[in-house]
Amino acid sequence: MHQQIRTLIIKEFTLEWRQKYALNGILLYVVSAVFIVYLSVGAKQGNIAVPTWNALYWIIILFSAVNAVAKSFVQEHQGRQLYYYMIASPEAVIISKILYNSILTLVLALLGYLVFSIILGNPVQDQGLFVLNLLLGAIGFSACLTMVSGIASKASNNATLMAILSFPVIIPILLMAIRVSKNAIDGLDWSVSVDKLITLLAINAIVAVTAYILFPYLWRS
Amino acid sequence: MRASWWKILTIALLAYTLTAGLLLDVPRLPILNETIRALHFHVTMWFGMIIMLVVAVVYSVKFLRSNDLKHDDLAIEFTNAAILFGVLGIVTGMLWAKFTWGDYWSGDPKQNASAIGLLMYFAYLVLRNSLTDVHQRARIGAVYSIFAFAAFIPLIFVLPRLTDSLHPGNGGNPGFNAYDLDSKLRLVFYPAIIGWTLLGTWISSVRVRLRRAERKIEDKLINQVS
């Protein structure tokens, strides 16, 4: 099982590296989205209110994550899926995809954070908490989006379905992450955010476990 | 006759809810006044919705284990009825909020959460309709239904409790227990929950039978041609 997961993750990385245009595309997507936001709000550095900064940041991360993860089941064609189906257990497939997408989402979030700090200013006072929250948010996003992209890939009209299926499911994760991130920006004491972090972790666990249990049924069809 | 006792019970309970709910004495409270009667028509909708969603999830699990389309019929129809109750719950809630909170929509966490929950189940219907193969539709619908329910529970039960809500029982507002000193409301409230849930079950069972009849006719037509 561990062997399978490791091999599949390495496969994902190799695949991404060989099709660099996809990765570059999504990185560019984040940067241009941030730039559009910057131009639209017409804010100079540090001019933008903290709640707005926070909300815009998370919305951009959400949309980039949806776009990045959406391809995880459609980029490889049916024949190769069948091949994986024969050589690997479905549990290994979903775990490796969730782990890989978490890393991808985290990279996107960090890149977004960097560009945001440069262009719109960086109001964050508690960096450690902010990054920890990004990590938890990335895991939650990826668990939810990976499962939904698996569901959406079975149906036609993929892009719309991906959005409408994932947004309502992802909202609890997004709301908790936004709240913790607000605390981190304001530099509040960790004890204020601990219960929210635990709730976020619990929601992540629920979503990931449900995905783990349900994926074999999806995979078989 | 013996099989339809619960339908008679439904009619009796709902007739009781309507008459007693509208005519019986209620505690007289500031702001709430007579709108406290919404308890029997608004709160019960959510109870009915949750109960029917649980039934739908149970049948979704049963379908995944057995691959029998009979279970899928029940899962989809109970979800349909739950969505109907959810929409009615939101509409009655908005009417009530207009008279007590001053606005149809005041961004209350529970209001938002239930709206998101409805979005989830509308997405479920879109997903089902976008698949053409009956078995695939049932299987993927069941998978999403269980997945959405797992996200729906923290959304509606955990998150609103972390922030202040305008709803009775949250954020320093006295709860239902505080209003109901002489348990008079309960006398109507509990029968109302059972009555509305039974009505939902009735609606779904009629639609399930319709669905099965349609499938039978379809099968017959297909077999005739070949």
Side-chain angles (χ1 to χ4, degrees):
Chain A
M1 185 80 172
H2 286 284
Q3 184 61 41
Q4 280 184 9
I5 293 172
R6 204 178 315 136
T7 321
L8 282 168
I9 291 182
I10 293 170
K11 178 224 90 185
E12 295 279 348
F13 274 109
T14 330
L15 205 62
E16 197 73 74
W17 190 247
R18 287 191 187 155
Q19 306 182 320
K20 275 194 224 68
Y21 73 92
L23 183 64
N24 290 337
I26 200 72
L27 294 180
L28 197 57
Y29 183 98
V30 176
V31 176
S32 12
V34 176
F35 214 73
I36 287 178
V37 162
Y38 166 65
L39 292 177
S40 316
V41 296
K44 294 200 187 83
Q45 283 220 351
N47 235 359
I48 188 169
V50 165
T52 322
W53 190 98
N54 198 14
L56 287 174
Y57 175 73
W58 278 101
I59 289 172
I60 287 181
I61 298 307
L62 171 65
F63 275 85
S64 341
V66 168
N67 272 297
V69 180
K71 67 176 172 48
S72 61
F73 282 97
V74 273
Q75 68 175 2
E76 296 170 68
H77 57 83
Q78 219 81 55
R80 211 173 320 156
Q81 302 267 13
L82 197 65
Y83 176 59
Y84 297 141
Y85 174 58
M86 290 197 289
I87 57 168
S89 71
E91 283 87 359
V93 173
I94 186 79
I95 290 179
S96 65
K97 288 231 186 244
I98 287 181
L99 287 177
Y100 172 73
N101 284 328
S102 305
I103 296 168
L104 184 64
T105 315
L106 189 64
V107 168
L108 289 180
L110 288 175
L111 175 75
Y113 182 37
L114 182 72
V115 184
F116 245 75
S117 320
I118 294 171
I119 307 185
L120 282 161
N122 184 354
V124 180
Q125 295 183 25
D126 190 343
Q127 305 289 341
L129 181 59
F130 192 82
V131 172
L132 174 66
N133 181 42
L134 277 191
L135 177 68
L136 287 181
I139 295 173
F141 277 18
S142 114
C144 172
L145 290 172
T146 309
M147 183 64 191
V148 169
S149 82
I151 294 174
S153 73
K154 299 283 175 192
S156 51
N157 191 11
N158 213 288
T160 322
L161 262 187
M162 180 77 197
I164 59 166
L165 293 180
S166 61
F167 285 170
V169 178
I170 223 168
I171 280 176
I173 301 170
L174 184 69
L175 284 181
M176 290 320 288
I178 286 183
R179 267 177 221 160
V180 178
S181 134
K182 178 78 173 53
N183 289 352
I185 293 176
D186 292 340
L188 298 183
D189 196 59
W190 278 57
S191 58
V192 184
S193 319
V194 163
D195 58 335
K196 293 200 177 93
L197 281 175
I198 291 173
T199 316
L200 181 56
L201 204 61
I203 299 176
N204 281 356
I206 293 176
V207 171
V209 168
T210 326
Y212 176 81
I213 295 171
L214 290 175
F215 187 72
Y217 294 101
L218 190 67
W219 192 231
R220 221 172 281 159
S221 65
Chain B
M1 194 64 198
R2 204 171 295 153
S4 61
W5 62 271
W6 60 276
K7 294 178 181 167
I8 296 164
L9 181 68
T10 311
I11 294 171
L13 280 174
L14 287 182
Y16 169 69
T17 308
L18 284 175
T19 47
L22 290 174
L23 297 177
L24 224 62
D25 264 353
V26 288
R28 208 146 288 282
L29 295 155
I31 304 175
L32 281 178
N33 294 325
E34 288 288 334
T35 66
I36 201 169
R37 297 185 196 277
L39 179 72
H40 313 308
F41 304 100
H42 163 64
V43 184
T44 46
M45 288 292 147
W46 296 115
F47 275 80
M49 178 186 179
I50 305 276
I51 293 171
M52 283 190 286
L53 284 181
V54 171
V55 173
V57 166
V58 168
Y59 277 104
S60 295
V61 172
K62 272 193 182 169
F63 171 78
L64 286 181
R65 307 195 80 144
S66 68
N67 254 332
D68 188 349
L69 279 178
K70 258 196 299 192
H71 298 312
D72 181 58
D73 292 338
L74 284 155
I76 173 70
E77 289 310 342
F78 268 97
T79 313
N80 272 338
I83 291 173
L84 173 70
F85 273 44
V87 171
L88 288 175
I90 280 234
V91 172
T92 50
M94 276 163 69
L95 284 175
W96 181 78
K98 178 69 182 164
F99 289 104
T100 48
W101 304 340
D103 265 320
Y104 287 116
W105 202 270
S106 25
D108 176 72
K110 277 192 183 172
Q111 242 178 354
N112 290 341
S114 43
I116 297 163
L118 278 182
L119 285 185
M120 237 177 240
Y121 283 96
F122 284 137
Y124 167 74
L125 294 184
V126 173
L127 172 69
R128 283 187 67 101
N129 287 328
S130 72
L131 295 159
T132 39
D133 179 64
V134 186
H135 282 272
Q136 200 185 26
R137 172 189 290 178
R139 173 182 290 276
I140 292 171
V143 167
Y144 184 72
S145 163
I146 299 170
F147 190 62
F149 189 74
F152 182 65
I153 289 306
L155 183 72
I156 208 155
F157 285 112
V158 182
L159 290 187
R161 282 177 177 53
L162 292 177
T163 40
D164 279 354
S165 167
L166 294 166
H167 267 87
N170 293 101
N173 293 329
F176 166 51
N177 291 332
Y179 293 141
D180 188 27
L181 293 175
D182 49 1
S183 288
K184 220 177 242 171
L185 287 175
R186 273 164 224 254
L187 228 52
V188 187
F189 182 57
Y190 295 132
I193 294 179
I194 301 170
W196 289 119
T197 311
L198 282 178
L199 180 67
T201 317
W202 192 352
I203 296 173
S204 348
S205 71
V206 169
R207 293 194 45 130
V208 164
R209 274 157 60 192
L210 204 63
R211 194 173 268 269
R212 284 182 187 159
E214 269 172 12
R215 188 180 307 134
K216 212 168 241 173
I217 293 171
E218 240 167 55
D219 283 350
K220 211 179 242 172
L221 282 175
I222 292 168
N223 291 337
Q224 225 170 26
V225 174
S226 58

